[in-house]
Amino acid sequence: MAEIVLDKVSKRYPDGSLAVRDVDLSIGDGEFVILVGPSGCGKSTTLNMIAGLEDVSAGNLIIDGDRVNERAPKDRDIAMVFQSYALYPHMSVFENMAFPLRLAKVDKPTVKERVDEAARVLDLTQHLDRTPANLSGGQRQRVAMGRAIVRSPKAFLMDEPLSNLDAKLRVQMRTSVSKLQKQLGTTTVYVTHDQTEAMTLGDRVVVMRGGLVQQVGSPQELYSNP
Ligand code: ADP
Ligand code: ADP
């Protein structure tokens, strides 16, 4: 679990464009925050800076009280899920989810316990022996989420994880994502351009526009009519 603080964080890409401007944001331990806004407003750049996939150009990024601007992604203990993801096609669902634990040399009983728990939360228990080719798109995306969370990261970042799914699956997956986040209680930052996801998924919504934070509030505060 982690508290994530962005203190006047900006991002200027090498081509000179200012993608994120002086963003101040404090994300509480266990909170589920949605970053929403039109394409190009700086959501992915913000998420990638938290993950360490992009450098912070100015300001401070603080995780659990430590400034992590210069810390490598692997030392941040943060898991990330993207809209496109690659599962290992020759491995079962179980082995796909177990993979990060095997790399970390986690003992076998613990691997089984963690994978079974993730599978239960993600409704994948019936599918553990299948290979990805024999799963639906939503099931595959849930495996990718399971693989991201089995190591119990401090925080969980998702960048448009549902945008490659058809409308019906997207609705089902919204439920899976909410349930997963509630059960894990892991600090989560979720990027979307979809208003419905912003309204239904998180505890708090951050609306971005042109690299700036435009509004912050609960879904009720932002989306109920005055
Ligand atoms: P999104 O779905 O977040 O809007 P885009 O399609 O804009 O993503 O960008 C896809 C990829 O292209 C990302 O890796 C992003 O970093 C990169 N990218 C986007 N805009 C530019 C740009 N102006 N110059 C270089 N790379 C870019
Ligand atoms: P969003 O996720 O909200 O679609 P991004 O964070 O992907 O927005 O992009 C924010 C701005 O930064 C856009 O104008 C985009 O074109 C630009 N951008 C993204 N990636 C790069 C890059 N690698 N190089 C230059 N500009 C980029």
Side-chain angles (χ1 to χ4, degrees):
M1 302 262 273
E3 183 193 42
I4 302 170
V5 176
L6 284 77
D7 165 36
K8 299 234 174 332
V9 165
S10 297
K11 175 67 183 182
R12 188 180 289 282
Y13 279 109
D15 67 0
S17 61
L18 195 53
V20 171
R21 308 165 182 235
D22 281 338
V23 165
D24 283 320
L25 185 62
S26 186
I27 301 168
D29 208 10
E31 196 180 10
F32 189 174
V33 167
I34 311 291
L35 298 186
V36 69
S39 183
C41 71
K43 305 181 297 294
S44 297
T45 301
T46 302
L47 206 68
N48 291 340
M49 285 192 287
I50 296 172
L53 304 176
E54 288 287 356
D55 291 335
V56 171
S57 307
N60 303 301
L61 175 64
I62 297 157
I63 300 179
D64 286 340
D66 295 326
R67 185 177 186 273
V68 300
N69 289 44
E70 275 83 39
R71 194 180 289 178
K74 67 174 174 51
D75 299 325
R76 294 189 189 195
D77 193 14
I78 284 176
M80 192 146 170
V81 170
F82 303 90
Q83 60 181 263
S84 49
Y85 50 85
L87 300 177
Y88 303 105
H90 56 287
M91 287 185 196
S92 67
V93 166
F94 184 95
E95 286 305 328
N96 265 282
M97 292 202 285
F99 194 74
L101 297 171
R102 303 241 193 255
L103 276 186
K105 306 249 187 291
V106 172
D107 65 87
K108 279 189 176 173
T110 308
V111 170
K112 180 153 173 33
E113 194 180 303
R114 299 261 194 92
V115 172
D116 283 346
E117 165 69 9
R120 196 176 53 71
V121 178
L122 289 161
D123 291 324
L124 289 168
T125 305
Q126 316 302 320
H127 309 301
L128 285 172
D129 295 329
R130 295 196 187 184
T131 54
N134 297 306
L135 298 176
S136 71
Q139 289 164 346
R140 283 201 285 268
Q141 183 57 289
R142 297 210 297 279
V143 177
M145 288 181 185
R147 191 175 58 182
I149 58 152
V150 284
R151 280 196 307 161
S152 308
K154 275 187 174 176
F156 190 25
L157 310 181
M158 291 186 265
D159 193 348
E160 307 253 4
L162 311 186
S163 60
N164 280 347
L165 305 176
D166 66 40
K168 191 166 160 237
L169 264 179
R170 241 185 346 256
V171 174
Q172 289 174 13
M173 283 296 291
R174 286 209 291 269
T175 312
S176 298
V177 170
S178 298
K179 195 171 139 195
L180 178 67
Q181 205 280 340
K182 281 202 181 65
Q183 297 222 358
L184 297 172
T186 307
T187 309
T188 300
V189 188
Y190 185 106
V191 161
T192 183
H193 61 266
D194 183 321
Q195 294 273 347
T196 312
E197 287 181 15
M199 277 189 276
T200 53
L201 278 176
D203 303 321
R204 202 149 57 104
V205 180
V206 175
V207 183
M208 292 186 71
R209 186 170 291 265
L212 297 164
V213 169
Q214 201 177 41
Q215 271 184 301
V216 182
S218 68
Q220 294 75 14
E221 284 164 352
L222 294 185
Y223 297 109
S224 62
N225 293 317

